[in-house]
């Protein structure tokens, strides 16, 4: 076909990993006219799968520099029809793979929009043997640096309504959080990152959750997790320890590529917050705690790193007024976010806090840990102003009973045959970690 620069050609791409399949679309597009790329936005991608490795502007920069591309416009959802109706391109180009499977309805909608004004759909054979998702996964793992990983939490907060973090106490538990995904209503659901819990780090070492397991040990564990994963991590920093040590602590935590540390406003021998009786726990004076936060904020070297203040008022049977008084002080001291904790089975107190908090602070991230009020959904948390949900201990709590069961069964039976159906097969474990075979 003769080149006709007056005609416009629409191609929608996510283009997180650009490859020859994309170039096939562009090459054909060039023949038909000037190409407009509808670039899927970060938040549209995040609705359906893991956030892109490259952000919108980085992806836009690559595409804008391709021959034949006249402009790059945002496409705010996977559905093409809105942009098609708005831009009325003469042609739209797409791989023919969307005739089948889950993208079928997108094709129907695009065709409807094109038909309204006489636009044409050109389908070209799908380029086999290359997968954008597989490339992105490879990029995520092989190109992650401490800086890029650290910045992912702030990106998530910008892009997603609510981000979900799963506890990881070992590289193998973290690999589950890294790789697991399920498809629900056409969306690919994954965990956005990891929570390094003092409770499960201590418990998995057979130690009490009272700050005996020190930072050096815990950071060593996280380094091992980081060896094999790419997602961001939020670190449970307990009380933060002595304020005189806090600047050094922050530097060690930040340097590793951890995105945020959460410190709780308690003093004395730290005990876990979920104990029924917390009468032996003491909340720190709010001004002293605020000072610790500002020491930390001065010590960090990147803009991305976050120090989040955890308010223990409800744990210590105080009211929402006390929690709000503290929240104001901690935000003034520079806290980048607030975690509000509760051991109640109901979310009433955390929601009364979040309502008041949101009136005062529209954009300060709010983190919830629904361990005890676990009937509350992510959607409800988001509706109540929460930006991050942490599943704080679930991987360890899942694995321990499974191990106890099998160990008991082996004793009872004097052999392991009966336990086989509860175990992954030898073949599965040999295939689990690449390079084992
Ligand atoms: C942890 O996971 O260690 C926490 C959350 O600090 S909680 O156990 O609920 O106190
Ligand atoms: Mg803890």
């Amino acid at each position: 076909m003769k080149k006709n620069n007056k005609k416009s050609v629409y191609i929608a791409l996510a283009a997180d990993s650009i490859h020859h399949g994309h170039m096939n679309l562009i090459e054909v597009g060039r023949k038909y006219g000037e190409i407009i790329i509808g670039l899927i936005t970060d938040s549209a991608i995040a609705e359906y799968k893991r956030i892109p490795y490259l952000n919108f502007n980085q992806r836009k920069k690559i595409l804008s520099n391709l021959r034949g591309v006249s402009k790059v416009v945002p496409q705010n959802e996977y559905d093409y029809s809105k942009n098609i109706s708005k831009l009325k391109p003469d042609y739209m180009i797409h791989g023919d793979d969307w005739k089948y499977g889950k993208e079928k309805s997108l094709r129907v909608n695009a065709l409807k929009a094109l038909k309204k004004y006489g636009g044409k759909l050109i389908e070209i054979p799908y380029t086999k043997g290359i997968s954008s998702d597989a490339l992105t996964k490879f990029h995520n793992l092989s190109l992650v640096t401490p800086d890029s990983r650290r910045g992912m939490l702030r990106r998530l907060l910008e892009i997603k309504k609510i981000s979900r973090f799963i506890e990881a106490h070992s590289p193998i538990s973290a690999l589950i959080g890294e790789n697991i995904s399920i498809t629900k209503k056409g969306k690919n659901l994954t965990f956005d990152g990891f929570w390094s819990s003092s409770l499960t780090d201590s418990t998995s070492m057979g130690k009490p959750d009272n700050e005996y397991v020190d930072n050096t040990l815990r950071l060593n564990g996280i380094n091992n997790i980081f060896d094999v994963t790419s997602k961001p991590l939020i670190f449970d920093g307990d009380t933060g320890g002595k304020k005189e040590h806090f600047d050094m602590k922050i530097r060690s935590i930040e340097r590793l590529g951890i995105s945020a540390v959460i410190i709780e406003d308690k003093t004395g021998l730290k005990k876990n917050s979920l104990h029924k009786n917390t009468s032996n726990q003491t909340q720190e004076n709010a001004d002293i705690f605020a000072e610790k936060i500002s020491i930390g904020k001065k010590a960090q070297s990147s803009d991305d790193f976050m120090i989040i203040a955890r308010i223990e008022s409800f744990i210590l049977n105080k009211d929402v007024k006390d929690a709000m008084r503290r929240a104001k002080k901690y935000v003034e001291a520079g806290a980048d976010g607030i975690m509000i904790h509760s051991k109640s089975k109901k979310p009433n107190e955390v929601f009364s806090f979040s309502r008041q908090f949101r009136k005062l602070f529209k954009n300060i991230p709010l983190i919830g840990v629904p361990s005890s009020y676990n009937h509350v959904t992510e959607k409800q948390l988001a509706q109540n102003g929460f930006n991050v949900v942490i599943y704080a201990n679930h991987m360890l709590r899942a694995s321990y009973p499974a191990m106890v069961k099998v160990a008991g069964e082996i004793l009872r039976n004097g052999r392991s045959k009966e336990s086989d159906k509860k175990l992954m097969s030898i073949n599965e474990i040999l295939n689990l970690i690449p390079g084992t075979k």
Side-chain angles (χ1 to χ4, degrees), residues 6-24:
K6 283 192 191 104
K7 299 276 184 190
S8 59
V9 180
Y10 189 74
I11 303 174
L13 294 174
D16 195 19
S17 314
I18 204 102
H19 55 71
H20 55 284
H22 299 125
M23 294 309 118
N24 288 341

Side-chain angles (χ1 to χ4, degrees), residues 183-370:
T183 309
K184 192 175 161 191
K185 293 184 185 153
K187 295 181 180 180
N188 190 20
L189 301 181
T190 56
F191 287 100
D192 296 299
F194 309 115
W195 164 245
S196 168
S197 150
S198 67
L199 172 63
T200 65
D201 270 4
S202 306
T203 306
S204 62
M205 289 185 207
K207 302 285 189 335
D209 179 20
N210 63 7
E211 292 189 275
Y212 174 77
V213 177
D214 68 16
N215 234 38
T216 316
L217 256 176
R218 290 189 56 209
L219 293 184
N220 214 356
I222 290 171
N223 202 22
N224 289 329
I225 287 176
F226 281 5
D227 263 348
V228 293
T229 62
S230 65
K231 291 182 176 176
L233 182 140
I234 301 176
F235 184 67
D236 174 1
D238 286 323
T239 65
K242 287 184 170 57
K243 76 168 190 217
E244 290 82 357
H245 295 168
F246 197 52
D247 53 347
M248 285 183 284
K249 228 178 213 183
I250 287 296
R251 282 194 285 271
S252 316
I253 294 169
E254 184 187 16
R255 187 169 52 235
L256 211 54
I258 290 170
S259 302
V261 62
I262 301 189
I263 54 168
E264 61 196 271
D265 57 357
K266 289 219 289 259
T267 185
L269 180 67
K270 195 220 78 151
K271 295 269 181 181
N272 186 273
S273 305
L274 298 174
H275 288 298
K276 275 203 180 83
N277 181 359
T278 49
S279 59
N280 60 351
Q281 301 188 20
T282 319
Q283 205 167 9
E284 181 60 284
N285 170 291
D287 293 310
I288 295 178
F289 191 70
E291 195 193 336
K292 203 185 266 184
I293 293 167
S294 38
I295 290 171
K297 286 308 292 174
K298 280 185 203 120
Q300 74 180 68
S301 55
S302 72
D303 290 337
D304 285 333
F305 186 70
M306 300 173 75
I307 299 179
I308 295 167
R310 163 171 164 179
I311 298 173
E312 294 282 288
S313 302
F314 296 141
I315 298 294
L316 299 162
N317 304 316
K318 295 185 189 162
D319 59 11
V320 67
K321 214 169 128 194
D322 183 76
M324 276 303 296
R325 176 180 68 85
R326 288 170 174 275
K328 282 180 219 159
K329 286 201 187 217
Y330 302 162
V331 171
E332 265 167 39
D336 298 290
I338 295 289
M339 170 174 150
I340 184 73
H341 206 14
S342 165
K343 58 185 161 68
S344 168
K345 291 245 176 258
K346 292 185 184 148
N348 303 19
E349 56 189 18
V350 290
F351 285 175
S352 77
F353 174 85
S354 66
R355 273 193 299 275
Q356 292 195 30
F357 183 78
R358 273 289 161 254
K359 272 189 206 148
L360 219 57
F361 303 106
K362 295 268 175 284
N363 300 317
I364 302 278
L366 195 55
I367 290 104
V369 188

Side-chain angles (χ1 to χ4, degrees), residues 111-168:
L111 276 169
K112 257 192 224 160
L114 286 163
K115 201 176 164 197
K116 274 194 187 141
Y117 65 92
K120 288 208 167 48
L121 173 66
I122 293 161
E123 289 171 317
I124 67 165
Y126 176 65
T127 309
K128 292 200 178 77
I130 184 80
S131 149
S132 299
D133 284 351
L135 264 185
T136 299
K137 194 171 174 194
F138 172 76
H139 282 165
N140 273 318
L141 263 179
S142 57
L143 301 181
V144 69
T145 64
D147 286 338
S148 69
R149 189 193 301 254
R150 189 188 306 113
M152 279 180 210
L153 176 58
R154 284 210 191 260
R155 285 190 62 208
L156 282 166
L157 289 165
E158 241 173 65
I159 295 168
K160 291 190 80 167
K161 242 196 190 127
I162 188 155
S163 303
R164 59 177 87 80
F165 279 64
I166 181 87
E167 170 259 324

Side-chain angles (χ1 to χ4, degrees), residues 10 75 77-92 98 104-121:
Y10 189 74
Q75 183 173 307
E77 57 269 297
Y78 269 90
D79 196 289
Y80 307 69
S81 54
K82 260 197 201 150
N83 268 11
I84 288 175
S85 302
K86 198 165 102 192
L87 300 165
K88 297 192 173 47
D90 299 293
Y91 302 101
M92 172 184 178
W98 71 338
K104 233 160 109 176
S105 63
L106 300 179
R107 182 174 185 266
V108 171
N109 292 348
L111 276 169
K112 257 192 224 160
L114 286 163
K115 201 176 164 197
K116 274 194 187 141
Y117 65 92
K120 288 208 167 48
L121 173 66

